Amino acid sequence: MSEPQVYPVPEAWKRRARVDAKGYETLHGRSIADPGSFWLEQARRLDWIKRPELAGDWSFDENDFHINWFADGKLNVAANCIDRHLKDRAAATAIIWEPDDPEEPARRYTYLELHREVCRFANVLKAQGVRKGDRVTIYMPMIPEAAFAVLACARLGAIHSVVFAGFSPEALAGRITDCDSAVLITADEGRRGGKRVPLKANADAAAKHAPALEKMIVVKATGADIAMQDGRDIWYHEASAEVSEDCPAEAMDAEDPLFILYTSGSTGKPKGVLHTSGGYLLWASYTHELAFDYREGEVFWCAADIGWVTGHSYILYGPLANGATTLMYEGVPNWPDSSRMWQVVDKHQVTSLYTAPTALRALMAEGDEPVKATSRASLRVLGSVGEPINPEAWRWYYEVVGDSRCPIIDTWWQTETGGHMIAPLPGATALKPGSATLPMPGVDPQIVDAEGQILHGATEGNLVIAKSWPGQMRTVWGDHDRFFQTYFSTYPGKYFTGDGCRRDADGYYWITGRVDDVINVSGHRMGTAEVESALVAHPHVAEAAVVGRPHDVKGQGIYAYVTLNANDEPTEELRRELRQWVRSEIGPIATPDAIQFAPGLPKTRSGKIMRRILRKIAEGDTSSLGDTSTLADPAVVDDLIANRVA
Ligand code: 6R9
């Protein structure tokens, strides 16, 4: 492999940044050597009702498994994101909202206005009986009310579970039921790229399969004609007209739950990742400031959706805890045309942009003109998240979007980690395209082999984290044993990330992708088992195996092998129907890119599907299938190769 190009920290950045190379080493060294005093000091960045005297108290050991941070501290997360800024920056803009349609006016909310809106929303929830510890599901488009709803839950100490608005009624119902949520917040419709999304109709369909649900609070977003069910559905604009604009913030223990966010794993059922209040907020706030070198008055744009963890930590909690101006965008990157993102940057004078490689690859395919037609002079930092960024997209982001002025902050992290784990700091870290570079303070990564032996120096293996950090998830909702089994049983005493990783001679980390049955489609995590269980739920399907295969824009695409029931014919029509079926079972992001009808799947004699072989065939790499002699019926492989979908 040829040596990657290195981009040293520019002189101007060395002078202006909070943390330089030496500073980073000191910070990281201290955070690992003396985490207790390091984190108690960092905890001062939050506004505590009772300041903690305890920092991390944890053990990843099976017999004494527990994770606590700042356990004796009390705070309210929403008050940290809003109330404490009222003294100095009540009139500063907290949220800029850019609508889907560029012809419509943007909306702005100052911290004072945000306070009012969130208090109102909290009072509406309260009037519906929502109390501390209750679960509230939020199924919303990217409109300001989604942010108000999330923060209103935090204000009351209710646990929010945001479900991405692209998920199907079935997926929504499953998530409502799993966390036993009595209240759902939704909107009449969503808008994305000029299209409408029937959220209320989806919510109605979900409600039929979610017996726990008692109330639906509906925000009027587009004014579409929708059905309201008496006794269950409440218009938000009507309810909010009747409540006070003041609502006290509940005093929460640092370890009280803040939110649940469902994410895909190796098994069929998505996991409810649970984050708690103090440690999570500290992590979101600290990493937002450090990785983007955030300065007061800057406009921060994280172009994710609040349905994903990136939206939680870097549209809402991190930036608002830091008193920043955060931009919330309703639309998609390439509508009405592929210049839109850069126009939004100019329009709102965005200083930091944080987006995903899949969006960059799609825009890159449109050429440089749509970018060059805009100024982008306000940009200082460019962030990347969600999947490994290929060096070609990295260089395009750096040279074309950033005019070779802005560092690319490639941030590796997960729903489970709450915030950035491995990422460069703009004033401290020389960049290498494709590497997330070095661990954040407090993060102790290790690379281990399949047996769990720690590998030193330049090496490649599986990525684990040896010590707890404040932003770590605390449990899987309703299944603490699954939490332990999923993350701490593979390599005893360590958190297993599920990612493969290489470390180079400079100690830089290069994430190579998932080593488990999780695929990454356009930066979204999909469990292969989830798609498989949707497929086998179809009346004609006997068996299914799903693998990822490289896709130019999406990173990975979904390739499904389907065995039909004995008397069913493989037709083009059925192929279309199955794609549509998965789409409506899970959501558009899970739609298979290719479906291959397979009379049989390659299995070991003990009945295990050999995915390694299926992956190779899907990729077209059939010359190196490896050892197929252990297969129960080696002949199925020839059929699979012959009928591969290009
Ligand atoms: C934040 C987020 C987590 C998985 C993770 C990894 C991949 C995320 C990455 C990256 C390489 C990066 N991933 N960021 N891989 N470089 N900068 O995406 O959370 O949806 O839970 O996905 O995404 O494979 O394990 P989540």
Side-chain angles (χ1 to χ4, degrees):
M1 191 184 293
S2 65
E3 272 305 300
Q5 203 176 339
V6 180
Y7 294 69
V9 178
E11 282 308 317
W13 267 101
K14 283 189 190 157
R15 283 194 301 274
R16 105 177 264 286
R18 255 193 199 82
V19 180
D20 61 10
K22 192 99 205 80
Y24 165 74
E25 267 178 41
T26 311
L27 272 182
H28 192 265
R30 274 193 52 215
S31 72
I32 298 298
D34 187 6
S37 75
F38 182 85
W39 287 113
L40 284 178
E41 200 174 294
Q42 288 304 329
R44 292 175 176 271
R45 64 171 38 249
L46 299 184
D47 192 27
W48 297 88
I49 296 165
K50 180 187 176 297
R51 189 180 289 286
E53 285 166 27
L54 304 169
D57 162 26
W58 57 272
S59 159
F60 293 167
D61 195 84
E62 181 159 21
N63 299 316
D64 182 30
F65 182 56
H66 66 279
I67 303 169
N68 292 307
W69 283 89
F70 315 115
D72 61 337
K74 280 188 186 297
L75 81 171
N76 180 279
V77 167
N80 268 277
C81 291
I82 310 170
D83 305 41
R84 69 158 155 162
H85 303 312
L86 296 182
K87 197 157 80 40
D88 298 327
R89 21 175 127 77
T93 305
I95 297 179
I96 301 176
W97 177 72
E98 171 67 19
D100 187 46
D101 183 347
E103 302 296 319
E104 277 178 32
R107 287 200 245 156
R108 288 170 167 270
Y109 296 86
T110 64
Y111 274 96
L112 186 64
E113 288 163 339
L114 181 62
H115 183 262
R116 207 175 310 158
E117 297 285 354
V118 170
C119 284
R120 269 192 194 290
F121 217 121
N123 281 328
V124 168
L125 292 175
K126 232 181 184 171
Q128 296 309 321
V130 174
R131 300 286 179 268
K132 178 174 175 170
D134 291 348
R135 275 78 57 211
V136 174
T137 302
I138 299 179
Y139 183 63
M140 288 278 270
M142 285 288 289
I143 56 177
E145 288 80 0
F148 306 157
V150 164
L151 294 164
C153 289
R155 194 164 192 88
L156 298 178
I159 306 169
H160 59 76
S161 163
V162 182
V163 176
F164 175 54
F167 277 125
S168 68
E170 285 72 16
L172 173 61
R175 286 156 172 79
I176 292 171
T177 302
D178 185 79
C179 70
D180 199 17
S181 161
V183 175
L184 173 69
I185 304 172
T186 189
D188 47 4
E189 283 184 324
R191 305 183 306 176
R192 271 167 69 83
K195 297 196 192 87
R196 302 290 174 107
V197 187
L199 292 181
K200 176 63 164 67
N202 287 352
D204 288 340
K208 293 204 178 81
H209 307 285
L213 196 67
E214 292 165 16
K215 296 282 174 194
M216 235 190 250
I217 297 170
V218 186
V219 173
K220 197 190 246 325
T222 66
D225 195 14
I226 53 156
M228 294 290 278
Q229 182 177 311
D230 252 7
R232 185 195 69 184
D233 300 351
I234 298 135
W235 276 115
Y236 179 69
H237 63 274
E238 289 172 5
S240 64
E242 287 163 17
V243 297
S244 140
E245 26 182 79
D246 199 28
C247 173
E250 195 77 29
M252 305 294 286
D253 286 338
E255 284 296 345
D256 279 335
L258 176 63
F259 67 83
I260 300 167
L261 187 56
Y262 287 87
T263 191
S264 297
S266 319
T267 59
K269 210 170 134 232
K271 296 185 283 275
V273 168
L274 184 101
H275 281 287
T276 57
S277 303
Y280 168 80
L281 188 67
L282 180 66
W283 195 248
S285 154
Y286 183 61
T287 52
H288 168 257
E289 181 179 284
L290 221 57
F292 302 111
D293 196 51
Y294 165 74
R295 297 305 171 102
E296 184 156 358
E298 292 185 340
V299 178
F300 186 80
W301 181 15
C302 166
D305 189 285
I306 52 149
W308 310 116
V309 73
T310 307
H312 282 58
S313 300
Y314 300 107
I315 297 177
L316 297 178
Y317 288 119
L320 294 176
N322 293 339
T325 299
T326 186
L327 190 145
M328 202 174 162
Y329 174 45
E330 188 181 28
V332 297
N334 56 356
W335 190 82
D337 58 52
S338 40
S339 207
R340 182 72 190 276
M341 283 192 72
W342 326 119
Q343 288 164 5
V344 172
V345 165
D346 284 353
K347 176 172 174 187
H348 298 296
Q349 293 294 292
V350 170
T351 33
S352 309
L353 172 67
Y354 190 30
T355 189
T358 185
L360 296 170
R361 285 191 298 265
L363 294 170
M364 193 168 102
E366 304 295 321
D368 299 356
E369 269 323 297
V371 188
K372 297 240 161 93
T374 62
S375 154
R376 292 157 284 109
S378 57
L379 288 174
R380 289 197 315 105
V381 179
L382 297 171
S384 175
V385 60
E387 54 180 312
I389 181 165
N390 48 308
E392 200 193 352
W394 194 103
R395 275 189 284 270
W396 186 78
Y397 202 20
Y398 184 77
E399 286 162 15
V400 180
V401 176
D403 285 321
S404 305
R405 271 188 302 111
C406 309
I408 305 294
I409 305 302
D410 176 5
T411 60
W412 173 82
W413 59 294
Q414 312 177 296
T415 307
E416 293 88 339
T417 72
H420 306 149
M421 296 294 280
I422 300 182
L425 308 188
T429 321
L431 306 173
K432 300 186 192 185
S435 170
T437 76
L438 301 171
M440 296 297 277
V443 176
D444 188 6
Q446 288 177 351
I447 296 182
V448 297
D449 67 13
E451 280 71 49
Q453 289 299 323
I454 302 174
L455 305 173
H456 297 279
T459 188
E460 184 165 347
N462 291 340
L463 181 64
V464 299
I465 312 290
K467 293 188 175 63
S468 183
W469 64 99
Q472 181 167 29
M473 75 182 279
R474 299 296 196 264
T475 192
V476 170
W477 179 262
D479 200 346
H480 200 56
D481 187 50
R482 188 173 172 201
F483 177 49
F484 180 83
Q485 292 305 330
T486 308
Y487 302 102
F488 303 93
S489 67
T490 319
Y491 302 112
K494 301 171 202 289
Y495 167 80
F496 178 40
T497 63
D499 279 314
C501 186
R502 182 166 71 80
R503 187 172 47 218
D504 70 16
D506 296 327
Y508 275 43
Y509 290 85
W510 301 72
I511 306 295
T512 52
R514 301 289 303 196
V515 293
D516 54 12
D517 291 326
V518 171
I519 51 185
N520 192 324
V521 183
S522 299
H524 301 315
R525 268 166 76 164
M526 288 301 319
T528 51
E530 251 172 283
V531 184
E532 287 162 6
S533 51
L535 281 166
V536 294
H538 188 280
H540 294 310
V541 175
E543 196 168 38
V546 168
V547 298
R549 78 161 162 191
H551 184 286
D552 282 349
V553 173
K554 299 182 188 178
Q556 281 188 301
I558 299 176
Y559 191 107
Y561 296 88
V562 170
T563 305
L564 298 175
N565 288 326
N567 297 318
D568 290 318
E569 284 299 312
T571 60
E572 275 315 304
E573 196 191 331
L574 182 56
R575 208 195 291 270
R576 272 194 300 277
E577 184 180 316
L578 289 176
R579 294 186 77 223
Q580 192 51 45
W581 171 268
V582 175
R583 206 181 151 87
S584 60
E585 286 282 305
I586 306 177
I589 53 170
T591 315
D593 295 274
I595 293 179
Q596 173 170 357
F597 291 116
L601 296 172
K603 288 186 190 164
T604 61
R605 285 185 195 114
S606 64
K608 272 205 168 58
I609 295 176
M610 303 223 4
R611 287 165 192 283
R612 175 176 57 79
I613 293 177
L614 293 176
R615 256 180 241 126
K616 294 241 173 197
I617 295 174
E619 285 169 22
D621 180 11
T622 49
S623 60
S624 59
L625 289 182
D627 185 10
T628 56
S629 63
T630 56
L631 289 178
D633 176 11
V636 299
V637 171
D638 299 327
D639 177 87
L640 291 175
I641 294 173
N643 293 301
R644 165 174 184 269
V645 181

mmCIF file with all atom_site columns, all heavy atoms in Angstrom, residues 437-451:
data_model
loop_
_atom_site.group_PDB
_atom_site.id
_atom_site.type_symbol
_atom_site.label_atom_id
_atom_site.label_alt_id
_atom_site.label_comp_id
_atom_site.label_asym_id
_atom_site.label_entity_id
_atom_site.label_seq_id
_atom_site.pdbx_PDB_ins_code
_atom_site.Cartn_x
_atom_site.Cartn_y
_atom_site.Cartn_z
_atom_site.occupancy
_atom_site.B_iso_or_equiv
_atom_site.pdbx_formal_charge
_atom_site.auth_seq_id
_atom_site.auth_comp_id
_atom_site.auth_asym_id
_atom_site.auth_atom_id
_atom_site.pdbx_PDB_model_num
ATOM 1   N N   . THR A 1 437 ? -8.116  9.148   12.567 1.00 0.00 ? 437 THR A N   1
ATOM 2   C CA  . THR A 1 437 ? -6.901  9.587   13.280 1.00 0.00 ? 437 THR A CA  1
ATOM 3   C C   . THR A 1 437 ? -6.787  9.063   14.712 1.00 0.00 ? 437 THR A C   1
ATOM 4   O O   . THR A 1 437 ? -6.604  7.880   14.902 1.00 0.00 ? 437 THR A O   1
ATOM 5   C CB  . THR A 1 437 ? -6.661  11.120  13.220 1.00 0.00 ? 437 THR A CB  1
ATOM 6   O OG1 . THR A 1 437 ? -7.536  11.813  14.092 1.00 0.00 ? 437 THR A OG1 1
ATOM 7   C CG2 . THR A 1 437 ? -6.789  11.650  11.800 1.00 0.00 ? 437 THR A CG2 1
ATOM 8   N N   . LEU A 1 438 ? -6.963  9.923   15.727 1.00 0.00 ? 438 LEU A N   1
ATOM 9   C CA  . LEU A 1 438 ? -6.560  9.577   17.095 1.00 0.00 ? 438 LEU A CA  1
ATOM 10  C C   . LEU A 1 438 ? -7.727  9.647   18.081 1.00 0.00 ? 438 LEU A C   1
ATOM 11  O O   . LEU A 1 438 ? -8.699  10.359  17.844 1.00 0.00 ? 438 LEU A O   1
ATOM 12  C CB  . LEU A 1 438 ? -5.457  10.554  17.542 1.00 0.00 ? 438 LEU A CB  1
ATOM 13  C CG  . LEU A 1 438 ? -4.191  10.564  16.669 1.00 0.00 ? 438 LEU A CG  1
ATOM 14  C CD1 . LEU A 1 438 ? -3.264  11.713  17.071 1.00 0.00 ? 438 LEU A CD1 1
ATOM 15  C CD2 . LEU A 1 438 ? -3.460  9.219   16.791 1.00 0.00 ? 438 LEU A CD2 1
ATOM 16  N N   . PRO A 1 439 ? -7.607  8.927   19.209 1.00 0.00 ? 439 PRO A N   1
ATOM 17  C CA  . PRO A 1 439 ? -8.720  8.909   20.173 1.00 0.00 ? 439 PRO A CA  1
ATOM 18  C C   . PRO A 1 439 ? -8.953  10.257  20.862 1.00 0.00 ? 439 PRO A C   1
ATOM 19  O O   . PRO A 1 439 ? -7.999  10.989  21.129 1.00 0.00 ? 439 PRO A O   1
ATOM 20  C CB  . PRO A 1 439 ? -8.285  7.857   21.200 1.00 0.00 ? 439 PRO A CB  1
ATOM 21  C CG  . PRO A 1 439 ? -6.812  7.727   21.043 1.00 0.00 ? 439 PRO A CG  1
ATOM 22  C CD  . PRO A 1 439 ? -6.509  8.039   19.608 1.00 0.00 ? 439 PRO A CD  1
ATOM 23  N N   . MET A 1 440 ? -10.200 10.537  21.164 1.00 0.00 ? 440 MET A N   1
ATOM 24  C CA  . MET A 1 440 ? -10.549 11.712  21.955 1.00 0.00 ? 440 MET A CA  1
ATOM 25  C C   . MET A 1 440 ? -10.030 11.503  23.374 1.00 0.00 ? 440 MET A C   1
ATOM 26  O O   . MET A 1 440 ? -9.845  10.358  23.811 1.00 0.00 ? 440 MET A O   1
ATOM 27  C CB  . MET A 1 440 ? -12.076 11.880  22.019 1.00 0.00 ? 440 MET A CB  1
ATOM 28  C CG  . MET A 1 440 ? -12.749 12.158  20.706 1.00 0.00 ? 440 MET A CG  1
ATOM 29  S SD  . MET A 1 440 ? -12.240 13.708  19.942 1.00 0.00 ? 440 MET A SD  1
ATOM 30  C CE  . MET A 1 440 ? -13.281 14.881  20.765 1.00 0.00 ? 440 MET A CE  1
ATOM 31  N N   . PRO A 1 441 ? -9.835  12.588  24.122 1.00 0.00 ? 441 PRO A N   1
ATOM 32  C CA  . PRO A 1 441 ? -9.483  12.411  25.533 1.00 0.00 ? 441 PRO A CA  1
ATOM 33  C C   . PRO A 1 441 ? -10.503 11.496  26.208 1.00 0.00 ? 441 PRO A C   1
ATOM 34  O O   . PRO A 1 441 ? -11.695 11.574  25.931 1.00 0.00 ? 441 PRO A O   1
ATOM 35  C CB  . PRO A 1 441 ? -9.584  13.843  26.094 1.00 0.00 ? 441 PRO A CB  1
ATOM 36  C CG  . PRO A 1 441 ? -9.274  14.716  24.913 1.00 0.00 ? 441 PRO A CG  1
ATOM 37  C CD  . PRO A 1 441 ? -9.866  13.996  23.732 1.00 0.00 ? 441 PRO A CD  1
ATOM 38  N N   . GLY A 1 442 ? -10.020 10.619  27.047 1.00 0.00 ? 442 GLY A N   1
ATOM 39  C CA  . GLY A 1 442 ? -10.910 9.697   27.759 1.00 0.00 ? 442 GLY A CA  1
ATOM 40  C C   . GLY A 1 442 ? -11.130 8.387   27.046 1.00 0.00 ? 442 GLY A C   1
ATOM 41  O O   . GLY A 1 442 ? -11.690 7.463   27.620 1.00 0.00 ? 442 GLY A O   1
ATOM 42  N N   . VAL A 1 443 ? -10.699 8.303   25.785 1.00 0.00 ? 443 VAL A N   1
ATOM 43  C CA  . VAL A 1 443 ? -10.953 7.093   25.001 1.00 0.00 ? 443 VAL A CA  1
ATOM 44  C C   . VAL A 1 443 ? -9.672  6.262   24.910 1.00 0.00 ? 443 VAL A C   1
ATOM 45  O O   . VAL A 1 443 ? -8.632  6.771   24.506 1.00 0.00 ? 443 VAL A O   1
ATOM 46  C CB  . VAL A 1 443 ? -11.475 7.447   23.592 1.00 0.00 ? 443 VAL A CB  1
ATOM 47  C CG1 . VAL A 1 443 ? -11.645 6.184   22.753 1.00 0.00 ? 443 VAL A CG1 1
ATOM 48  C CG2 . VAL A 1 443 ? -12.780 8.219   23.697 1.00 0.00 ? 443 VAL A CG2 1
ATOM 49  N N   . ASP A 1 444 ? -9.786  4.998   25.299 1.00 0.00 ? 444 ASP A N   1
ATOM 50  C CA  . ASP A 1 444 ? -8.631  4.104   25.314 1.00 0.00 ? 444 ASP A CA  1
ATOM 51  C C   . ASP A 1 444 ? -8.877  2.936   24.354 1.00 0.00 ? 444 ASP A C   1
ATOM 52  O O   . ASP A 1 444 ? -9.319  1.868   24.757 1.00 0.00 ? 444 ASP A O   1
ATOM 53  C CB  . ASP A 1 444 ? -8.426  3.601   26.755 1.00 0.00 ? 444 ASP A CB  1
ATOM 54  C CG  . ASP A 1 444 ? -7.139  2.810   26.906 1.00 0.00 ? 444 ASP A CG  1
ATOM 55  O OD1 . ASP A 1 444 ? -6.348  2.750   25.940 1.00 0.00 ? 444 ASP A OD1 1
ATOM 56  O OD2 . ASP A 1 444 ? -6.932  2.233   27.987 1.00 0.00 ? 444 ASP A OD2 1
ATOM 57  N N   . PRO A 1 445 ? -8.619  3.150   23.050 1.00 0.00 ? 445 PRO A N   1
ATOM 58  C CA  . PRO A 1 445 ? -8.887  2.086   22.075 1.00 0.00 ? 445 PRO A CA  1
ATOM 59  C C   . PRO A 1 445 ? -7.790  1.039   22.085 1.00 0.00 ? 445 PRO A C   1
ATOM 60  O O   . PRO A 1 445 ? -6.631  1.340   22.372 1.00 0.00 ? 445 PRO A O   1
ATOM 61  C CB  . PRO A 1 445 ? -8.888  2.836   20.735 1.00 0.00 ? 445 PRO A CB  1
ATOM 62  C CG  . PRO A 1 445 ? -8.117  4.094   20.973 1.00 0.00 ? 445 PRO A CG  1
ATOM 63  C CD  . PRO A 1 445 ? -8.031  4.345   22.446 1.00 0.00 ? 445 PRO A CD  1
ATOM 64  N N   . GLN A 1 446 ? -8.169  -0.193  21.784 1.00 0.00 ? 446 GLN A N   1
ATOM 65  C CA  . GLN A 1 446 ? -7.187  -1.254  21.594 1.00 0.00 ? 446 GLN A CA  1
ATOM 66  C C   . GLN A 1 446 ? -7.597  -2.053  20.369 1.00 0.00 ? 446 GLN A C   1
ATOM 67  O O   . GLN A 1 446 ? -8.772  -2.115  20.032 1.00 0.00 ? 446 GLN A O   1
ATOM 68  C CB  . GLN A 1 446 ? -7.169  -2.199  22.806 1.00 0.00 ? 446 GLN A CB  1
ATOM 69  C CG  . GLN A 1 446 ? -6.546  -1.583  24.041 1.00 0.00 ? 446 GLN A CG  1
ATOM 70  C CD  . GLN A 1 446 ? -6.617  -2.535  25.237 1.00 0.00 ? 446 GLN A CD  1
ATOM 71  O OE1 . GLN A 1 446 ? -7.261  -3.572  25.181 1.00 0.00 ? 446 GLN A OE1 1
ATOM 72  N NE2 . GLN A 1 446 ? -5.935  -2.146  26.308 1.00 0.00 ? 446 GLN A NE2 1
ATOM 73  N N   . ILE A 1 447 ? -6.597  -2.665  19.737 1.00 0.00 ? 447 ILE A N   1
ATOM 74  C CA  . ILE A 1 447 ? -6.895  -3.578  18.638 1.00 0.00 ? 447 ILE A CA  1
ATOM 75  C C   . ILE A 1 447 ? -6.552  -4.979  19.118 1.00 0.00 ? 447 ILE A C   1
ATOM 76  O O   . ILE A 1 447 ? -5.463  -5.204  19.655 1.00 0.00 ? 447 ILE A O   1
ATOM 77  C CB  . ILE A 1 447 ? -6.115  -3.178  17.367 1.00 0.00 ? 447 ILE A CB  1
ATOM 78  C CG1 . ILE A 1 447 ? -6.603  -1.794  16.914 1.00 0.00 ? 447 ILE A CG1 1
ATOM 79  C CG2 . ILE A 1 447 ? -6.310  -4.213  16.263 1.00 0.00 ? 447 ILE A CG2 1
ATOM 80  C CD1 . ILE A 1 447 ? -5.966  -1.275  15.658 1.00 0.00 ? 447 ILE A CD1 1
ATOM 81  N N   . VAL A 1 448 ? -7.521  -5.889  18.959 1.00 0.00 ? 448 VAL A N   1
ATOM 82  C CA  . VAL A 1 448 ? -7.303  -7.252  19.433 1.00 0.00 ? 448 VAL A CA  1
ATOM 83  C C   . VAL A 1 448 ? -7.499  -8.234  18.283 1.00 0.00 ? 448 VAL A C   1
ATOM 84  O O   . VAL A 1 448 ? -8.171  -7.916  17.293 1.00 0.00 ? 448 VAL A O   1
ATOM 85  C CB  . VAL A 1 448 ? -8.275  -7.622  20.584 1.00 0.00 ? 448 VAL A CB  1
ATOM 86  C CG1 . VAL A 1 448 ? -8.034  -6.743  21.802 1.00 0.00 ? 448 VAL A CG1 1
ATOM 87  C CG2 . VAL A 1 448 ? -9.736  -7.526  20.139 1.00 0.00 ? 448 VAL A CG2 1
ATOM 88  N N   . ASP A 1 449 ? -6.909  -9.416  18.433 1.00 0.00 ? 449 ASP A N   1
ATOM 89  C CA  . ASP A 1 449 ? -7.146  -10.459 17.421 1.00 0.00 ? 449 ASP A CA  1
ATOM 90  C C   . ASP A 1 449 ? -8.395  -11.249 17.809 1.00 0.00 ? 449 ASP A C   1
ATOM 91  O O   . ASP A 1 449 ? -9.039  -10.951 18.824 1.00 0.00 ? 449 ASP A O   1
ATOM 92  C CB  . ASP A 1 449 ? -5.907  -11.336 17.250 1.00 0.00 ? 449 ASP A CB  1
ATOM 93  C CG  . ASP A 1 449 ? -5.587  -12.168 18.480 1.00 0.00 ? 449 ASP A CG  1
ATOM 94  O OD1 . ASP A 1 449 ? -6.450  -12.275 19.388 1.00 0.00 ? 449 ASP A OD1 1
ATOM 95  O OD2 . ASP A 1 449 ? -4.467  -12.712 18.546 1.00 0.00 ? 449 ASP A OD2 1
ATOM 96  N N   . ALA A 1 450 ? -8.713  -12.273 17.013 1.00 0.00 ? 450 ALA A N   1
ATOM 97  C CA  . ALA A 1 450 ? -9.962  -13.016 17.241 1.00 0.00 ? 450 ALA A CA  1
ATOM 98  C C   . ALA A 1 450 ? -10.010 -13.639 18.636 1.00 0.00 ? 450 ALA A C   1
ATOM 99  O O   . ALA A 1 450 ? -11.076 -13.832 19.203 1.00 0.00 ? 450 ALA A O   1
ATOM 100 C CB  . ALA A 1 450 ? -10.122 -14.087 16.165 1.00 0.00 ? 450 ALA A CB  1
ATOM 101 N N   . GLU A 1 451 ? -8.831  -13.939 19.201 1.00 0.00 ? 451 GLU A N   1
ATOM 102 C CA  . GLU A 1 451 ? -8.804  -14.556 20.529 1.00 0.00 ? 451 GLU A CA  1
ATOM 103 C C   . GLU A 1 451 ? -8.790  -13.524 21.650 1.00 0.00 ? 451 GLU A C   1
ATOM 104 O O   . GLU A 1 451 ? -8.782  -13.864 22.818 1.00 0.00 ? 451 GLU A O   1
ATOM 105 C CB  . GLU A 1 451 ? -7.572  -15.458 20.689 1.00 0.00 ? 451 GLU A CB  1
ATOM 106 C CG  . GLU A 1 451 ? -7.750  -16.829 20.048 1.00 0.00 ? 451 GLU A CG  1
ATOM 107 C CD  . GLU A 1 451 ? -7.749  -16.759 18.539 1.00 0.00 ? 451 GLU A CD  1
ATOM 108 O OE1 . GLU A 1 451 ? -6.827  -16.115 17.990 1.00 0.00 ? 451 GLU A OE1 1
ATOM 109 O OE2 . GLU A 1 451 ? -8.678  -17.304 17.911 1.00 0.00 ? 451 GLU A OE2 1
#
